[in-house]
Amino acid sequence: MLTANADIISARGGTTIEITRCLVQDMQKARPAHAPSITKRAEDILADPDIEVVVEVMGGVEPAWTYIARALDSGKHVVTANKELMARHGRELLKSAEDKGLDLLFEAAVCAGIPVIQSLKNQLSGNRVRSIMGIVNGTTNYILTRMHADRAEYNEVLAEAQEKGFAEADPTADVENFDAQSKLAILCGLAFACAVRPEDIYRQGIGHIETTDIEYAELLGYRVKSVAIGRQEDGKIEARVHPAMVSLANPLSKVDGPNNAVLLQGDFVGDLMLFGSGAGKDATASAVVGDLIEIARNRHSGAHGRIGSTNFEEKPIQDVSDSLNRYYLRVTSEDRPRALGQIALAFGDNDVSLSALEMHELPESRSELVFLTHQACEANFMATLDAIRELPMIEKLDNWIRVVS
Ligand code: HSE
């Protein structure tokens, strides 16, 4: 990108941006002829006084943390794509950059090229953000989209995605939603001006979603998506990442394949949706280069380190058991008199109201029952599940999924 768009980048940044040296693991790997000079020693970059900016795209907390801290200590600006590091230690690193009058920019850490961080830091900063709801992981969105389109099972789609290079060889960070957890921690910090640690965020992966659930979701007017939700209400923060049945009325239900999108609601701007490619080298390059141009502009006007950490407040994080949701539940039951009535009573006894029901005959006098609830407190829904599990005619509690309107 720096080569292809060199003309506009230097015109807009007021200076040329050149890669002086690149830290690599494998010096022998084949590289294009125009590749920059490479080294295996971080020191060659961190101790080089001519290098003004360090770009970190290696990922993981260490050694990236040490390198970035060292770069800042040496008076170098930093651009990073490291969501895990920024989610865990962003506050200290940003404070350090601010104290030293340096830029530490991290647009590529969340949804690659989608300018959600810039939007929150700059253009939306006069708003009180009420909520964020996003599809912030391309791998899980690709898998769930394929499950809808082809009725393929989760394991089958995951294996194929790995073969094609859409999913990592070790897919844990994506499919267990650790990746989304870090991204939401960063977004909540910016949107709600408080520290939200990844471990404060409720997390559930997508591996338990079955084709049958996908079919019922479609029948009932929903799409299964992996969503990241952050809300601020009465000074409390709600933050969670999990699969959900998303209503067709919600624009996130139409975000398909490896795409990402973030829906924001601000008190003055109203509803806003940012959509685009949330991964991949070009989209990531777009974010990194945007940050580099900002540093070049700041250098021109002597305005480095303008925006440091925005996480100045401490706010309580709501426990997921206190959250309010609608729910989908699928069970297999013996088909006998009063079976449906007793299951329905378990909902009512726990103050959970039903809104839709599907019942299908299965072989050997059994039935598959699907329930949708109205909004209920999660603790009440969990108590309902416990009560249903104990009912003698229940053969299996197949699955439950939160429902998002
Ligand atoms: N692995 C991520 C995704 C991209 O699938 O969206 C990097 O955060």
Side-chain angles (χ1 to χ4, degrees):
M1 189 176 172
L2 287 175
T3 311
N5 287 359
D7 52 344
I8 57 168
I9 291 168
S10 59
R12 292 170 188 173
T15 184
T16 53
I17 298 171
E18 256 176 63
I19 303 177
T20 314
R21 189 154 299 151
C22 193
L23 177 70
V24 298
Q25 273 182 326
D26 178 3
M27 298 286 285
Q28 309 311 324
K29 196 168 141 182
R31 294 191 162 81
H34 65 271
S37 144
I38 55 174
T39 176
K40 278 199 81 160
R41 290 168 18 101
E43 216 42 42
D44 291 343
I45 292 168
L46 298 170
D48 182 339
D50 292 334
I51 292 176
E52 287 178 63
V53 185
V54 173
V55 176
E56 185 272 308
V57 284
M58 65 200 305
V61 172
E62 282 294 5
W65 190 13
T66 306
Y67 292 166
I68 290 179
R70 289 262 326 273
L72 294 172
D73 286 342
S74 321
K76 300 183 192 311
H77 307 287
V78 173
V79 174
T80 175
N82 197 324
K83 61 198 152 267
E84 204 185 338
L85 179 62
M86 289 309 290
R88 293 191 182 283
H89 305 292
R91 181 143 79 162
E92 305 121 72
L93 287 170
L94 284 162
K95 177 84 180 64
S96 161
E98 194 181 4
D99 290 347
K100 297 176 170 78
L102 295 167
D103 288 321
L104 167 55
L105 304 179
F106 51 101
E107 185 61 63
V110 179
C111 302
I114 302 176
V116 62
I117 291 178
Q118 279 292 351
S119 303
L120 284 167
K121 274 203 306 198
N122 290 301
Q123 192 46 240
L124 300 174
S125 57
N127 281 262
R128 283 178 217 285
V129 178
R130 291 189 181 122
S131 68
I132 306 170
M133 190 185 292
I135 291 176
V136 297
N137 184 273
T139 306
T140 48
N141 203 43
Y142 171 82
I143 293 172
L144 291 168
T145 302
R146 284 286 319 279
M147 288 176 76
H148 271 284
D150 306 327
R151 296 291 189 268
E153 287 296 347
Y154 167 78
N155 283 327
E156 201 184 307
V157 182
L158 173 60
E160 195 198 302
Q162 284 172 307
E163 228 167 78
K164 290 187 174 161
F166 295 147
E168 304 278 346
D170 177 359
T172 315
D174 291 318
V175 300
E176 291 298 332
N177 268 330
F178 288 105
D179 175 85
Q181 197 182 34
S182 295
K183 289 170 178 166
L184 184 64
I186 295 173
L187 292 180
C188 285
L190 289 161
F192 308 132
C194 66
V196 176
R197 297 169 305 165
E199 57 271 28
D200 294 332
I201 296 177
Y202 169 83
R203 178 190 58 77
Q204 183 187 39
I206 66 161
H208 63 287
I209 304 295
E210 295 176 18
T211 318
T212 313
D213 304 311
I214 297 277
E215 281 169 353
Y216 277 115
E218 288 194 14
L219 184 74
L220 296 160
Y222 295 85
R223 289 284 181 279
V224 180
K225 297 282 175 198
S226 194
V227 293
I229 297 174
R231 288 200 189 103
Q232 172 167 231
E233 215 168 310
D234 303 327
K236 254 191 171 182
I237 304 297
E238 182 179 355
R240 46 203 170 96
V241 289
H242 54 72
M245 281 179 28
V246 179
S247 151
L248 291 180
N250 184 319
L252 291 182
S253 69
K254 305 193 174 60
V255 174
D256 283 335
N259 288 312
N260 283 187
V262 180
L263 268 176
L264 293 162
Q265 195 187 55
D267 55 354
F268 279 78
V269 74
D271 290 327
L272 196 69
M273 176 152 147
L274 299 165
F275 166 90
S277 174
K281 62 188 170 74
D282 286 354
T284 305
S286 169
V288 168
V289 171
D291 282 350
L292 285 170
I293 293 175
E294 185 178 330
I295 293 175
R297 286 173 167 157
N298 288 348
R299 178 194 197 229
H300 195 64
S301 57
H304 290 300
R306 265 184 321 122
I307 310 173
S309 171
T310 52
N311 306 350
F312 6 81
E313 296 174 47
E314 295 292 334
K315 291 180 187 167
I317 314 284
Q318 185 188 58
D319 194 278
V320 74
S321 61
D322 293 328
S323 69
L324 295 175
N325 296 285
R326 296 184 64 204
Y327 298 89
Y328 153 96
L329 172 67
R330 175 166 61 92
V331 299
T332 305
S333 167
E334 278 175 41
D335 187 1
R336 55 159 128 147
R338 303 181 67 220
L340 178 59
Q342 280 182 273
I343 301 169
L345 264 183
F347 282 95
D349 288 348
N350 287 289
D351 213 18
V352 180
S353 173
L354 292 169
S355 69
L357 166 68
E358 286 289 330
M359 182 168 177
H360 295 275
E361 234 180 283
L362 294 177
E364 296 161 13
S365 294
R366 296 170 315 137
S367 50
E368 182 166 69
L369 290 152
V370 165
F371 302 89
L372 274 194
T373 76
H374 284 293
Q375 187 159 279
C377 174
E378 179 134 332
N380 291 356
F381 179 70
M382 291 302 155
T384 306
L385 293 186
D386 290 343
I388 292 175
R389 245 182 233 112
E390 295 302 310
L391 291 173
M393 67 288 195
I394 292 294
E395 189 180 300
K396 194 168 169 222
L397 203 152
D398 296 282
N399 224 342
W400 65 270
I401 305 172
R402 295 179 184 86
V403 177
V404 169
S405 299

